[in-house]
mmCIF file of all heavy atoms in Angstrom:
data_model
loop_
_atom_site.group_PDB
_atom_site.id
_atom_site.type_symbol
_atom_site.label_atom_id
_atom_site.label_comp_id
_atom_site.label_asym_id
_atom_site.label_seq_id
_atom_site.Cartn_x
_atom_site.Cartn_y
_atom_site.Cartn_z
ATOM 1 N N GLU Y 629 -13.306 -17.964 26.968
ATOM 2 C CA GLU Y 629 -12.998 -18.720 28.123
ATOM 3 C C GLU Y 629 -11.911 -18.163 28.904
ATOM 4 O O GLU Y 629 -11.890 -18.230 30.196
ATOM 5 C CB GLU Y 629 -12.679 -20.194 27.772
ATOM 6 C CG GLU Y 629 -13.980 -20.902 27.308
ATOM 7 C CD GLU Y 629 -15.028 -20.938 28.398
ATOM 8 O OE1 GLU Y 629 -14.794 -21.164 29.514
ATOM 9 O OE2 GLU Y 629 -16.213 -20.722 28.006
ATOM 10 N N GLU Y 630 -10.891 -17.621 28.266
ATOM 11 C CA GLU Y 630 -9.755 -17.089 28.971
ATOM 12 C C GLU Y 630 -10.170 -15.803 29.820
ATOM 13 O O GLU Y 630 -9.712 -15.765 30.952
ATOM 14 C CB GLU Y 630 -8.658 -16.623 27.906
ATOM 15 C CG GLU Y 630 -7.366 -16.331 28.523
ATOM 16 C CD GLU Y 630 -6.314 -16.068 27.450
ATOM 17 O OE1 GLU Y 630 -6.664 -16.038 26.225
ATOM 18 O OE2 GLU Y 630 -5.185 -15.860 27.723
ATOM 19 N N ILE Y 631 -11.031 -14.983 29.256
ATOM 20 C CA ILE Y 631 -11.460 -13.882 30.040
ATOM 21 C C ILE Y 631 -12.418 -14.267 31.223
ATOM 22 O O ILE Y 631 -12.299 -13.790 32.327
ATOM 23 C CB ILE Y 631 -12.300 -12.817 29.231
ATOM 24 C CG1 ILE Y 631 -11.429 -12.282 28.047
ATOM 25 C CG2 ILE Y 631 -12.964 -11.761 29.918
ATOM 26 C CD1 ILE Y 631 -10.198 -11.454 28.613
ATOM 27 N N LYS Y 632 -13.123 -15.324 31.049
ATOM 28 C CA LYS Y 632 -13.919 -15.799 32.068
ATOM 29 C C LYS Y 632 -12.989 -16.368 33.262
ATOM 30 O O LYS Y 632 -13.384 -16.094 34.491
ATOM 31 C CB LYS Y 632 -14.788 -17.000 31.595
ATOM 32 C CG LYS Y 632 -16.076 -16.623 30.751
ATOM 33 C CD LYS Y 632 -16.724 -17.844 30.337
ATOM 34 C CE LYS Y 632 -18.033 -17.346 29.426
ATOM 35 N NZ LYS Y 632 -18.738 -18.523 28.963
ATOM 36 N N THR Y 633 -11.847 -16.915 32.880
ATOM 37 C CA THR Y 633 -10.877 -17.424 33.913
ATOM 38 C C THR Y 633 -10.399 -16.157 34.702
ATOM 39 O O THR Y 633 -10.244 -16.212 35.979
ATOM 40 C CB THR Y 633 -9.806 -18.191 33.331
ATOM 41 O OG1 THR Y 633 -10.293 -19.289 32.631
ATOM 42 C CG2 THR Y 633 -8.778 -18.707 34.263
ATOM 43 N N TYR Y 634 -10.000 -15.172 34.008
ATOM 44 C CA TYR Y 634 -9.452 -13.967 34.691
ATOM 45 C C TYR Y 634 -10.613 -13.456 35.659
ATOM 46 O O TYR Y 634 -10.237 -12.907 36.759
ATOM 47 C CB TYR Y 634 -9.025 -12.862 33.733
ATOM 48 C CG TYR Y 634 -7.716 -13.144 33.150
ATOM 49 C CD1 TYR Y 634 -7.453 -13.994 32.061
ATOM 50 C CD2 TYR Y 634 -6.504 -12.492 33.751
ATOM 51 C CE1 TYR Y 634 -6.168 -14.158 31.497
ATOM 52 C CE2 TYR Y 634 -5.325 -12.719 33.146
ATOM 53 C CZ TYR Y 634 -5.144 -13.550 32.002
ATOM 54 O OH TYR Y 634 -3.765 -13.781 31.655
ATOM 55 N N ARG Y 635 -11.747 -13.384 35.097
ATOM 56 C CA ARG Y 635 -12.913 -12.833 35.971
ATOM 57 C C ARG Y 635 -13.175 -13.645 37.180
ATOM 58 O O ARG Y 635 -13.222 -13.140 38.347
ATOM 59 C CB ARG Y 635 -14.232 -12.792 35.025
ATOM 60 C CG ARG Y 635 -15.383 -12.123 35.816
ATOM 61 C CD ARG Y 635 -16.644 -12.135 34.960
ATOM 62 N NE ARG Y 635 -16.525 -11.520 33.656
ATOM 63 C CZ ARG Y 635 -16.616 -10.136 33.477
ATOM 64 N NH1 ARG Y 635 -17.030 -9.489 34.566
ATOM 65 N NH2 ARG Y 635 -16.474 -9.528 32.276
ATOM 66 N N ARG Y 636 -13.055 -14.962 37.122
ATOM 67 C CA ARG Y 636 -13.196 -15.792 38.276
ATOM 68 C C ARG Y 636 -12.124 -15.472 39.285
ATOM 69 O O ARG Y 636 -12.327 -15.377 40.561
ATOM 70 C CB ARG Y 636 -13.300 -17.276 37.860
ATOM 71 C CG ARG Y 636 -14.562 -17.738 37.286
ATOM 72 C CD ARG Y 636 -14.641 -19.300 37.264
ATOM 73 N NE ARG Y 636 -13.402 -19.869 36.607
ATOM 74 C CZ ARG Y 636 -13.459 -20.190 35.291
ATOM 75 N NH1 ARG Y 636 -14.534 -19.899 34.537
ATOM 76 N NH2 ARG Y 636 -12.307 -20.692 34.786
ATOM 77 N N LEU Y 637 -10.917 -15.365 38.852
ATOM 78 C CA LEU Y 637 -9.784 -15.170 39.689
ATOM 79 C C LEU Y 637 -9.933 -13.788 40.357
ATOM 80 O O LEU Y 637 -9.674 -13.642 41.648
ATOM 81 C CB LEU Y 637 -8.428 -15.154 38.924
ATOM 82 C CG LEU Y 637 -8.037 -16.617 38.464
ATOM 83 C CD1 LEU Y 637 -6.991 -16.444 37.448
ATOM 84 C CD2 LEU Y 637 -7.584 -17.499 39.583
ATOM 85 N N VAL Y 638 -10.280 -12.663 39.731
ATOM 86 C CA VAL Y 638 -10.163 -11.390 40.261
ATOM 87 C C VAL Y 638 -11.507 -11.127 41.130
ATOM 88 O O VAL Y 638 -11.349 -10.867 42.241
ATOM 89 C CB VAL Y 638 -10.232 -10.426 39.142
ATOM 90 C CG1 VAL Y 638 -10.344 -9.015 39.668
ATOM 91 C CG2 VAL Y 638 -8.835 -10.362 38.408
ATOM 92 N N GLU Y 639 -12.632 -11.593 40.558
ATOM 93 C CA GLU Y 639 -13.910 -11.171 41.375
ATOM 94 C C GLU Y 639 -14.156 -12.154 42.498
ATOM 95 O O GLU Y 639 -14.697 -11.896 43.418
ATOM 96 C CB GLU Y 639 -15.035 -11.273 40.334
ATOM 97 C CG GLU Y 639 -14.915 -10.079 39.279
ATOM 98 C CD GLU Y 639 -16.217 -10.233 38.331
ATOM 99 O OE1 GLU Y 639 -17.051 -11.087 38.438
ATOM 100 O OE2 GLU Y 639 -16.334 -9.272 37.487
ATOM 101 N N GLY Y 640 -13.430 -13.333 42.394
ATOM 102 C CA GLY Y 640 -13.523 -14.299 43.534
ATOM 103 C C GLY Y 640 -12.577 -14.168 44.466
ATOM 104 O O GLY Y 640 -12.391 -14.980 45.416
ATOM 105 N N ARG Y 641 -11.588 -13.143 44.190
ATOM 106 C CA ARG Y 641 -10.448 -12.888 45.169
ATOM 107 C C ARG Y 641 -9.600 -14.176 45.426
ATOM 108 O O ARG Y 641 -9.191 -14.467 46.504
ATOM 109 C CB ARG Y 641 -10.965 -12.379 46.440
ATOM 110 C CG ARG Y 641 -11.657 -10.964 46.271
ATOM 111 C CD ARG Y 641 -12.077 -10.326 47.615
ATOM 112 N NE ARG Y 641 -12.695 -9.137 47.325
ATOM 113 C CZ ARG Y 641 -13.215 -8.277 48.423
ATOM 114 N NH1 ARG Y 641 -13.016 -8.699 49.704
ATOM 115 N NH2 ARG Y 641 -13.862 -7.138 48.189
ATOM 116 N N ARG Y 642 -9.405 -14.932 44.335
ATOM 117 C CA ARG Y 642 -8.461 -16.039 44.343
ATOM 118 C C ARG Y 642 -7.115 -15.895 44.217
ATOM 119 O O ARG Y 642 -6.311 -16.845 44.263
ATOM 120 C CB ARG Y 642 -9.075 -17.069 43.362
ATOM 121 C CG ARG Y 642 -10.539 -17.394 43.556
ATOM 122 C CD ARG Y 642 -11.008 -18.445 42.420
ATOM 123 N NE ARG Y 642 -12.423 -18.664 42.591
ATOM 124 C CZ ARG Y 642 -13.155 -19.557 41.923
ATOM 125 N NH1 ARG Y 642 -12.421 -20.281 40.959
ATOM 126 N NH2 ARG Y 642 -14.387 -19.788 42.105
ATOM 127 N N THR Y 643 -6.681 -14.667 43.785
ATOM 128 C CA THR Y 643 -5.169 -14.355 43.725
ATOM 129 C C THR Y 643 -4.999 -12.966 43.980
ATOM 130 O O THR Y 643 -5.922 -12.104 43.952
ATOM 131 C CB THR Y 643 -4.883 -14.744 42.381
ATOM 132 O OG1 THR Y 643 -3.380 -14.630 42.070
ATOM 133 C CG2 THR Y 643 -5.517 -13.735 41.237
ATOM 134 N N ASP Y 644 -3.749 -12.548 44.317
ATOM 135 C CA ASP Y 644 -3.373 -11.184 44.597
ATOM 136 C C ASP Y 644 -2.856 -10.393 43.270
ATOM 137 O O ASP Y 644 -2.758 -9.256 43.333
ATOM 138 C CB ASP Y 644 -2.376 -11.133 45.734
ATOM 139 C CG ASP Y 644 -2.943 -11.632 47.053
ATOM 140 O OD1 ASP Y 644 -4.108 -11.501 47.277
ATOM 141 O OD2 ASP Y 644 -2.088 -11.910 47.797
ATOM 142 N N GLY Y 645 -2.335 -11.234 42.369
ATOM 143 C CA GLY Y 645 -1.836 -10.597 41.158
ATOM 144 C C GLY Y 645 -1.703 -11.506 40.036
ATOM 145 O O GLY Y 645 -1.804 -12.791 40.261
ATOM 146 N N LEU Y 646 -1.582 -11.027 38.840
ATOM 147 C CA LEU Y 646 -1.669 -11.853 37.663
ATOM 148 C C LEU Y 646 -0.460 -11.633 36.644
ATOM 149 O O LEU Y 646 0.010 -10.443 36.604
ATOM 150 C CB LEU Y 646 -2.882 -11.699 36.810
ATOM 151 C CG LEU Y 646 -4.115 -12.357 37.505
ATOM 152 C CD1 LEU Y 646 -5.395 -11.681 37.010
ATOM 153 C CD2 LEU Y 646 -4.228 -13.882 37.027
ATOM 154 N N ILE Y 647 0.048 -12.692 36.141
ATOM 155 C CA ILE Y 647 1.232 -12.506 35.150
ATOM 156 C C ILE Y 647 0.561 -12.963 33.746
ATOM 157 O O ILE Y 647 0.081 -14.038 33.574
ATOM 158 C CB ILE Y 647 2.415 -13.512 35.438
ATOM 159 C CG1 ILE Y 647 2.886 -13.136 36.869
ATOM 160 C CG2 ILE Y 647 3.480 -13.464 34.419
ATOM 161 C CD1 ILE Y 647 3.765 -14.196 37.446
ATOM 162 N N VAL Y 648 0.614 -12.009 32.839
ATOM 163 C CA VAL Y 648 0.024 -12.283 31.552
ATOM 164 C C VAL Y 648 1.112 -12.461 30.563
ATOM 165 O O VAL Y 648 2.092 -11.878 30.323
ATOM 166 C CB VAL Y 648 -0.748 -11.001 31.103
ATOM 167 C CG1 VAL Y 648 -1.354 -11.267 29.673
ATOM 168 C CG2 VAL Y 648 -1.918 -10.711 32.000
ATOM 169 N N VAL Y 649 1.033 -13.696 29.875
ATOM 170 C CA VAL Y 649 2.084 -14.027 28.928
ATOM 171 C C VAL Y 649 1.380 -14.178 27.364
ATOM 172 O O VAL Y 649 0.160 -14.166 27.261
ATOM 173 C CB VAL Y 649 2.820 -15.383 29.340
ATOM 174 C CG1 VAL Y 649 3.459 -15.223 30.565
ATOM 175 C CG2 VAL Y 649 1.677 -16.569 29.379
ATOM 176 N N ARG Y 650 2.241 -14.289 26.545
ATOM 177 C CA ARG Y 650 1.829 -14.477 25.002
ATOM 178 C C ARG Y 650 1.036 -13.221 24.724
ATOM 179 O O ARG Y 650 -0.094 -13.367 24.215
ATOM 180 C CB ARG Y 650 1.095 -15.746 24.866
ATOM 181 C CG ARG Y 650 2.031 -17.017 24.698
ATOM 182 C CD ARG Y 650 1.039 -18.079 24.407
ATOM 183 N NE ARG Y 650 1.852 -19.402 24.426
ATOM 184 C CZ ARG Y 650 1.386 -20.574 24.454
ATOM 185 N NH1 ARG Y 650 0.016 -20.810 24.406
ATOM 186 N NH2 ARG Y 650 2.094 -21.715 24.420
ATOM 187 N N THR Y 651 1.479 -12.008 24.955
ATOM 188 C CA THR Y 651 0.679 -10.791 24.664
ATOM 189 C C THR Y 651 0.383 -10.659 23.230
ATOM 190 O O THR Y 651 1.315 -10.961 22.318
ATOM 191 C CB THR Y 651 1.457 -9.622 25.183
ATOM 192 O OG1 THR Y 651 2.885 -9.595 24.706
ATOM 193 C CG2 THR Y 651 1.497 -9.519 26.728
ATOM 194 N N ARG Y 652 -0.728 -10.056 23.122
ATOM 195 C CA ARG Y 652 -1.229 -9.787 21.698
ATOM 196 C C ARG Y 652 -1.313 -8.290 21.472
ATOM 197 O O ARG Y 652 -1.427 -7.619 22.515
ATOM 198 C CB ARG Y 652 -2.666 -10.431 21.439
ATOM 199 C CG ARG Y 652 -2.653 -11.972 21.765
ATOM 200 C CD ARG Y 652 -3.899 -12.547 22.239
ATOM 201 N NE ARG Y 652 -3.821 -13.748 22.906
ATOM 202 C CZ ARG Y 652 -4.595 -14.369 23.685
ATOM 203 N NH1 ARG Y 652 -5.751 -13.760 23.991
ATOM 204 N NH2 ARG Y 652 -4.444 -15.575 24.347
ATOM 205 N N ARG Y 653 -1.309 -7.999 20.098
ATOM 206 C CA ARG Y 653 -1.362 -6.550 19.835
ATOM 207 C C ARG Y 653 -2.470 -5.923 20.422
ATOM 208 O O ARG Y 653 -2.643 -4.869 20.991
ATOM 209 C CB ARG Y 653 -1.118 -6.339 18.377
ATOM 210 C CG ARG Y 653 0.194 -6.729 18.021
ATOM 211 C CD ARG Y 653 0.262 -6.723 16.381
ATOM 212 N NE ARG Y 653 0.164 -5.429 15.846
ATOM 213 C CZ ARG Y 653 -0.077 -5.075 14.552
ATOM 214 N NH1 ARG Y 653 -0.175 -6.065 13.634
ATOM 215 N NH2 ARG Y 653 -0.154 -3.859 14.200
#
């Protein structure tokens, strides 16, 4: 679901940039 959220934001041009937190290895 998280990747789907990123896809909607990027492909729908809903934001100019993203901040990724709680990074995983």
